[in-house]
mmCIF file of all heavy atoms in Angstrom:
data_model
loop_
_atom_site.group_PDB
_atom_site.id
_atom_site.type_symbol
_atom_site.label_atom_id
_atom_site.label_comp_id
_atom_site.label_asym_id
_atom_site.label_seq_id
_atom_site.Cartn_x
_atom_site.Cartn_y
_atom_site.Cartn_z
ATOM 1 N N PHE A 435 103.731 77.894 85.836
ATOM 2 C CA PHE A 435 104.076 78.826 86.902
ATOM 3 C C PHE A 435 103.812 78.150 88.225
ATOM 4 O O PHE A 435 102.807 77.395 88.387
ATOM 5 C CB PHE A 435 103.188 80.078 86.747
ATOM 6 C CG PHE A 435 103.705 81.255 87.555
ATOM 7 C CD1 PHE A 435 104.675 82.084 87.022
ATOM 8 C CD2 PHE A 435 103.234 81.480 88.822
ATOM 9 C CE1 PHE A 435 105.174 83.142 87.747
ATOM 10 C CE2 PHE A 435 103.714 82.546 89.541
ATOM 11 C CZ PHE A 435 104.661 83.374 89.014
ATOM 12 N N HIS A 489 106.163 93.625 95.948
ATOM 13 C CA HIS A 489 105.692 92.268 96.312
ATOM 14 C C HIS A 489 106.916 91.368 96.369
ATOM 15 O O HIS A 489 107.773 91.446 95.494
ATOM 16 C CB HIS A 489 104.719 91.857 95.198
ATOM 17 C CG HIS A 489 104.199 90.458 95.231
ATOM 18 N ND1 HIS A 489 104.002 89.761 96.395
ATOM 19 C CD2 HIS A 489 103.840 89.630 94.231
ATOM 20 C CE1 HIS A 489 103.501 88.554 96.113
ATOM 21 N NE2 HIS A 489 103.432 88.442 94.796
ATOM 22 N N GLU A 491 107.241 88.048 96.203
ATOM 23 C CA GLU A 491 107.334 86.815 95.406
ATOM 24 C C GLU A 491 108.430 86.984 94.362
ATOM 25 O O GLU A 491 108.556 88.020 93.705
ATOM 26 C CB GLU A 491 105.986 86.415 94.801
ATOM 27 C CG GLU A 491 106.034 84.950 94.346
ATOM 28 C CD GLU A 491 104.692 84.411 93.957
ATOM 29 O OE1 GLU A 491 103.673 85.154 93.834
ATOM 30 O OE2 GLU A 491 104.588 83.201 93.685
ATOM 31 N N ASP A 493 109.156 86.160 91.364
ATOM 32 C CA ASP A 493 109.034 86.494 89.939
ATOM 33 C C ASP A 493 109.165 88.022 89.746
ATOM 34 O O ASP A 493 109.413 88.491 88.619
ATOM 35 C CB ASP A 493 107.772 85.960 89.294
ATOM 36 C CG ASP A 493 106.513 86.292 90.099
ATOM 37 O OD1 ASP A 493 106.565 86.329 91.332
ATOM 38 O OD2 ASP A 493 105.473 86.516 89.455
ATOM 39 N N HIS A 494 109.017 88.798 90.824
ATOM 40 C CA HIS A 494 109.165 90.261 90.742
ATOM 41 C C HIS A 494 110.342 90.750 91.547
ATOM 42 O O HIS A 494 110.998 91.730 91.148
ATOM 43 C CB HIS A 494 107.912 90.975 91.238
ATOM 44 C CG HIS A 494 106.687 90.445 90.560
ATOM 45 N ND1 HIS A 494 106.405 90.645 89.261
ATOM 46 C CD2 HIS A 494 105.651 89.681 91.063
ATOM 47 C CE1 HIS A 494 105.279 90.055 88.938
ATOM 48 N NE2 HIS A 494 104.820 89.453 89.980
ATOM 49 N N HIS A 556 98.045 88.476 96.290
ATOM 50 C CA HIS A 556 97.639 87.356 97.048
ATOM 51 C C HIS A 556 98.565 86.992 98.201
ATOM 52 O O HIS A 556 98.413 85.981 98.844
ATOM 53 C CB HIS A 556 97.580 86.176 96.103
ATOM 54 C CG HIS A 556 98.959 85.896 95.424
ATOM 55 N ND1 HIS A 556 99.575 84.697 95.470
ATOM 56 C CD2 HIS A 556 99.780 86.732 94.762
ATOM 57 C CE1 HIS A 556 100.735 84.777 94.803
ATOM 58 N NE2 HIS A 556 100.892 86.014 94.389
ATOM 59 N N TRP A 557 99.513 87.889 98.497
ATOM 60 C CA TRP A 557 100.401 87.763 99.649
ATOM 61 C C TRP A 557 100.069 88.933 100.593
ATOM 62 O O TRP A 557 99.429 89.903 100.176
ATOM 63 C CB TRP A 557 101.894 87.853 99.249
ATOM 64 C CG TRP A 557 102.485 86.578 98.711
ATOM 65 C CD1 TRP A 557 101.842 85.561 98.065
ATOM 66 C CD2 TRP A 557 103.875 86.232 98.724
ATOM 67 N NE1 TRP A 557 102.731 84.602 97.682
ATOM 68 C CE2 TRP A 557 103.987 84.967 98.087
ATOM 69 C CE3 TRP A 557 105.036 86.814 99.194
ATOM 70 C CZ2 TRP A 557 105.218 84.295 97.916
ATOM 71 C CZ3 TRP A 557 106.257 86.165 99.042
ATOM 72 C CH2 TRP A 557 106.323 84.927 98.417
ATOM 73 N N ASP A 575 101.031 92.305 90.866
ATOM 74 C CA ASP A 575 100.180 91.219 90.417
ATOM 75 C C ASP A 575 98.763 91.680 90.100
ATOM 76 O O ASP A 575 98.101 91.113 89.206
ATOM 77 C CB ASP A 575 100.120 90.133 91.508
ATOM 78 C CG ASP A 575 101.291 89.161 91.468
ATOM 79 O OD1 ASP A 575 102.006 89.137 90.460
ATOM 80 O OD2 ASP A 575 101.427 88.436 92.439
ATOM 81 N N HIS A 580 98.992 86.661 82.582
ATOM 82 C CA HIS A 580 100.109 85.855 82.067
ATOM 83 C C HIS A 580 99.980 85.844 80.554
ATOM 84 O O HIS A 580 99.277 85.004 79.980
ATOM 85 C CB HIS A 580 100.054 84.439 82.634
ATOM 86 C CG HIS A 580 100.523 84.314 84.038
ATOM 87 N ND1 HIS A 580 101.713 84.877 84.493
ATOM 88 C CD2 HIS A 580 99.981 83.692 85.122
ATOM 89 C CE1 HIS A 580 101.872 84.597 85.771
ATOM 90 N NE2 HIS A 580 100.839 83.902 86.180
ATOM 91 N N TYR A 601 93.918 84.942 84.914
ATOM 92 C CA TYR A 601 94.862 85.303 85.959
ATOM 93 C C TYR A 601 94.144 85.615 87.266
ATOM 94 O O TYR A 601 94.505 85.174 88.348
ATOM 95 C CB TYR A 601 95.698 86.470 85.521
ATOM 96 C CG TYR A 601 96.804 86.849 86.463
ATOM 97 C CD1 TYR A 601 98.056 86.260 86.383
ATOM 98 C CD2 TYR A 601 96.581 87.772 87.479
ATOM 99 C CE1 TYR A 601 99.061 86.566 87.243
ATOM 100 C CE2 TYR A 601 97.592 88.088 88.399
ATOM 101 C CZ TYR A 601 98.826 87.502 88.251
ATOM 102 O OH TYR A 601 99.818 87.810 89.129
ATOM 103 N N ILE A 605 94.781 83.438 90.673
ATOM 104 C CA ILE A 605 95.586 84.084 91.709
ATOM 105 C C ILE A 605 94.763 84.932 92.701
ATOM 106 O O ILE A 605 95.006 84.910 93.890
ATOM 107 C CB ILE A 605 96.657 85.039 91.066
ATOM 108 C CG1 ILE A 605 97.419 84.294 89.974
ATOM 109 C CG2 ILE A 605 97.572 85.622 92.121
ATOM 110 C CD1 ILE A 605 98.353 83.221 90.461
ATOM 111 N N HIS A 632 102.785 91.815 85.311
ATOM 112 C CA HIS A 632 102.637 90.773 84.342
ATOM 113 C C HIS A 632 101.711 91.277 83.233
ATOM 114 O O HIS A 632 100.646 91.887 83.519
ATOM 115 C CB HIS A 632 101.938 89.527 84.914
ATOM 116 C CG HIS A 632 102.711 88.782 85.948
ATOM 117 N ND1 HIS A 632 103.880 88.136 85.718
ATOM 118 C CD2 HIS A 632 102.422 88.535 87.255
ATOM 119 C CE1 HIS A 632 104.300 87.526 86.807
ATOM 120 N NE2 HIS A 632 103.401 87.812 87.767
HETATM 121 FE FE1 FEO B 1470 103.611 87.584 90.056
HETATM 122 FE FE2 FEO B 1470 102.668 86.906 93.263
HETATM 123 O O1 FEO B 1470 103.870 87.098 91.813
#
Side-chain angles (χ1 to χ4, degrees):
F435 196 84
H489 173 33
E491 195 170 9
D493 51 325
H494 309 291
H556 57 126
W557 280 27
D575 276 345
H580 284 311
Y601 186 88
I605 309 291
H632 293 296

